[in-house]
């Protein structure tokens, strides 16, 4: 699994579902490229701004896709 730092690496694609690490907590989140925000799954009240926070993200792959 390759982790990306949003401050120095590439960002996910629009609407891409990814695993993020933010303040020591892991979330499955969808990325809104236009606004630069991650929206954790199952949480309508939480959004995490990619521009102003240290966030690491990794692609989520199904078992069919391999590692």
């Amino acid at each position: 699994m390759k982790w990306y730092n949003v401050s120095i690496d590439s960002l996910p694609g629009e609407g891409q579902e990814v695993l993020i690490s933010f303040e020591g907590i892991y979330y499955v989140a969808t990325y809104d490229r236009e606004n630069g925000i991650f929206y954790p799954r199952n949480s309508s009240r939480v959004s995490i701004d990619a521009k102003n926070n240290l966030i690491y993200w990794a692609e989520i792959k199904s078992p069919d896709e391999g590692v």
Side-chain angles (χ1 to χ4, degrees):
M1 178 177 287
K2 179 167 173 58
W3 287 93
Y4 298 91
N5 179 327
V6 299
S7 300
I8 58 174
D9 295 321
S10 62
L11 291 166
E14 173 62 33
Q16 184 175 359
E17 190 171 66
V18 296
L19 179 64
I20 65 170
S21 174
F22 173 64
E23 294 184 346
I25 301 172
Y26 294 89
Y27 302 90
V28 174
T30 302
Y31 185 62
D32 176 349
R33 186 178 272 277
E34 183 178 332
N35 297 305
I37 296 174
F38 288 96
Y39 292 99
R41 184 194 294 174
N42 300 329
S43 180
S44 61
R45 298 182 195 172
V46 176
S47 63
I48 302 169
D49 184 357
K51 298 172 191 162
N52 298 313
N53 292 293
L54 177 59
I55 302 169
Y56 293 94
W57 70 275
E59 290 187 62
I60 298 174
K61 295 183 178 183
S62 71
D64 296 343
E65 295 178 66
V67 179

